[in-house]
């Protein structure tokens, strides 16, 4: 239901167009597929993914000898889910956690995408499961970033480790790891800067932070989560490319899906970048973060 509510805008856009399409056609012909192609592209599914999907659908229609357009909704849903899961054998949506010690999760992404909010929401989920969470204020660049993280820390009950604005973020992360260890914390969530004005500089900073974490805890960071804003559409795709070229991103958090009618971006990201979407943000409240479930997502679109 969370998915259904959060996806209202996309559902109104996408599902209503598909419903209209299958109602208007008597048979499944080239024109049908052409219109479907346009609908998918307008939902930000991404040209490459759409082409793949249309090919698959055409083959499926032949194979099963489907004549009635009304049967196509089910077939489209099946193929959308398949395109999402097709890349992996196992279920990769879950976070990789350190079973015998501190789990370190690094958050990267440009300013304004919802990084701090996501850290707050995820902290809340861990704390609800009885875990001790600490936060590292690794964005020492943007004015107000440290304070904003502290507000979330207070709200959810997580201690924040910080230095002053302008200090070395890698040193903050180092201190945070020591503090988390000495207090026996289960999870350390690390915020980082998101300025893209000087890309090279930021990417070097992230690499340095990552090296510090790797040196302190073998096997860490357990996840590097790239936060992307769904409302920025194809811009999010190019951010994903920039960040994944510079650091090894293990998963994506796609925020503000509630604010877009083009939720198809999830599938484009998954299919074209081959990085799993681990969570989606469906609102501004602490409970509005959901583990991504392609099945619930696709069926939520038509539901
Ligand atoms: P940061 O600069 O990346 O740390 O971004 P913030 O966490 O400060 O978020 C920027 C704005 O996006 C804030 O107003 C958040 O409330 C809002 N926001 C974050 N996630 C979501 C979401 O999933 N849905 C909606 N509607 N707003 C969100």
């Amino acid at each position: 239901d969370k998915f259904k509510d959060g996806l209202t805008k996309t559902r109104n856009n996408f599902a209503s167009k598909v419903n209209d399409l299958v109602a208007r056609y008597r048979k499944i012909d080239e024109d049908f597929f052409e219109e479907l192609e346009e609908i998918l592209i307008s939902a930000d599914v991404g040209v490459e993914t759409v082409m793949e999907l249309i090919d698959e659908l055409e083959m499926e229609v032949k194979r099963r000898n489907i004549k009635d357009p009304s049967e196509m909704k089910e077939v489209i849903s099946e193929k959308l889910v398949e395109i999402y899961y097709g890349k992996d054998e196992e279920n990769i949506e879950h976070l990789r956690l350190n079973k015998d010690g501190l789990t370190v999760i690094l958050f990267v992404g440009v300013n304004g995408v919802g990084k701090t909010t996501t850290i707050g929401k995820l902290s809340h989920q861990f704390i609800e499961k009885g875990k001790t969470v600490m936060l590292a204020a690794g964005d020492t660049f943007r004015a107000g970033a440290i304070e904003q993280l502290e507000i979330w820390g207070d709200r959810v009950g997580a201690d924040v480790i910080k230095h002053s604005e302008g200090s070395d973020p890698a040193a903050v992360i180092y201190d945070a790891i020591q503090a988390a260890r000495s207090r026996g914390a289960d999870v350390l969530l690390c915020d980082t800067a998101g300025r893209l004005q000087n890309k090279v500089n930021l990417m070097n900073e992230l690499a340095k932070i990552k090296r510090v974490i790797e040196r302190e805890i073998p096997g860490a960071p357990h996840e590097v989560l790239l936060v992307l804003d769904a409302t920025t559409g194809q811009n999010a795709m190019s951010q994903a490319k920039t960040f994944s070229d510079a650091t090894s991103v293990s998963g994506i958090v796609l925020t503000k899906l509630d604010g877009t009618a083009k939720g198809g971006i999830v599938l484009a990201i998954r299919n074209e970048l081959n990085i799993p979407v681990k969570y989606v943000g469906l609102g501004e409240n602490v409970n509005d973060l959901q583990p991504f479930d392609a099945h619930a997502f696709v069926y939520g679109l038509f539901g």
Side-chain angles (χ1 to χ4, degrees):
D1 279 355
K2 273 262 163 68
F3 267 102
K4 265 185 85 169
D5 293 344
L7 290 170
T8 303
K9 286 187 185 167
T10 299
R11 190 168 68 239
N12 289 345
N13 174 29
F14 178 70
S16 66
K17 282 184 190 162
V18 174
N19 284 335
D20 170 67
L21 178 72
V22 298
R24 270 189 295 113
Y25 275 79
R26 299 268 149 138
K27 56 180 203 274
I28 305 165
D29 55 14
E30 236 173 80
D31 289 345
F32 177 90
F33 281 114
E34 234 168 70
E35 278 202 47
L36 179 60
E37 194 177 305
E38 276 166 31
I39 294 170
L40 289 162
I41 287 173
S42 77
D44 257 351
V45 173
V47 177
E48 207 178 295
T49 308
V50 171
M51 294 309 168
E52 212 175 296
L53 196 63
I54 296 287
D55 276 352
E56 294 269 340
L57 286 169
E58 281 173 337
M59 282 195 285
E60 193 72 5
V61 164
K62 274 207 197 103
R63 203 175 59 79
R64 281 160 56 178
N65 197 21
I66 298 168
K67 301 259 184 264
D68 186 353
S70 69
E71 285 177 51
M72 285 306 285
K73 255 169 72 175
E74 183 57 32
V75 184
I76 295 165
S77 305
E78 281 169 22
K79 286 290 162 195
L80 285 171
V81 174
E82 226 177 84
I83 235 173
Y84 191 87
Y85 281 120
K87 303 276 163 176
D88 295 279
E89 312 258 306
E90 57 188 296
N91 185 355
I92 29 62
E93 274 67 41
H94 296 292
L95 292 180
R96 191 165 74 91
L97 302 176
N98 185 0
K99 288 192 182 66
D100 18 65
L102 179 64
T103 296
V104 181
I105 301 177
L106 190 61
F107 287 82
V108 301
V110 307
N111 287 334
V113 291
K115 228 177 336 166
T116 317
T117 308
T118 301
I119 291 173
K121 290 171 176 175
L122 195 60
S123 303
H124 178 69
Q125 294 191 2
F126 278 121
I127 290 165
E128 278 202 317
K129 285 184 188 143
K131 309 268 185 212
T132 310
V133 177
M134 285 178 63
L135 309 179
D139 183 358
T140 61
F141 186 82
R142 186 171 65 88
I146 300 171
E147 202 182 10
Q148 201 191 339
L149 194 68
E150 284 183 304
I151 292 171
W152 271 106
D154 281 346
R155 192 180 296 168
V156 300
D159 285 343
V160 178
I161 303 301
K162 58 169 184 177
H163 288 186
S164 54
E165 205 181 302
S167 61
D168 178 7
V172 178
I173 304 294
Y174 177 86
D175 275 0
I177 291 173
Q178 310 314 320
R181 273 181 171 147
S182 71
R183 295 179 208 176
D186 300 303
V187 188
L188 176 66
L189 304 180
C190 306
D191 192 16
T192 61
R195 58 184 192 283
L196 263 195
Q197 300 90 316
N198 186 342
K199 224 173 357 193
V200 177
N201 186 301
L202 176 62
M203 296 308 154
N204 287 339
E205 180 175 307
L206 293 176
K208 186 176 169 193
I209 289 172
K210 202 153 166 267
R211 279 199 304 277
V212 167
I213 298 172
E214 284 163 355
R215 202 178 55 215
E216 289 305 303
I217 304 173
H222 301 89
E223 293 280 356
V224 178
L225 298 181
L226 171 63
V227 183
L228 297 173
D229 176 343
T231 65
T232 63
Q234 296 305 310
N235 223 336
M237 292 290 289
S238 73
Q239 285 167 23
K241 284 187 184 117
T242 304
F243 278 91
S244 58
D245 284 349
T247 62
S248 49
V249 173
S250 62
I252 283 168
V253 179
L254 192 64
T255 62
K256 311 187 197 180
L257 259 186
D258 55 305
T260 178
K262 298 180 168 198
I265 187 79
V266 179
L267 296 155
I269 285 173
R270 180 70 184 101
N271 196 45
E272 287 166 35
L273 302 167
N274 204 14
I275 307 173
V277 177
K278 300 220 173 185
Y279 285 92
V280 292
L282 297 165
E284 292 188 274
N285 293 321
V286 71
N287 289 314
D288 295 333
L289 185 74
Q290 290 281 308
F292 183 67
D293 172 343
H295 196 267
F297 174 79
V298 168
Y299 286 88
L301 284 183
F302 287 110

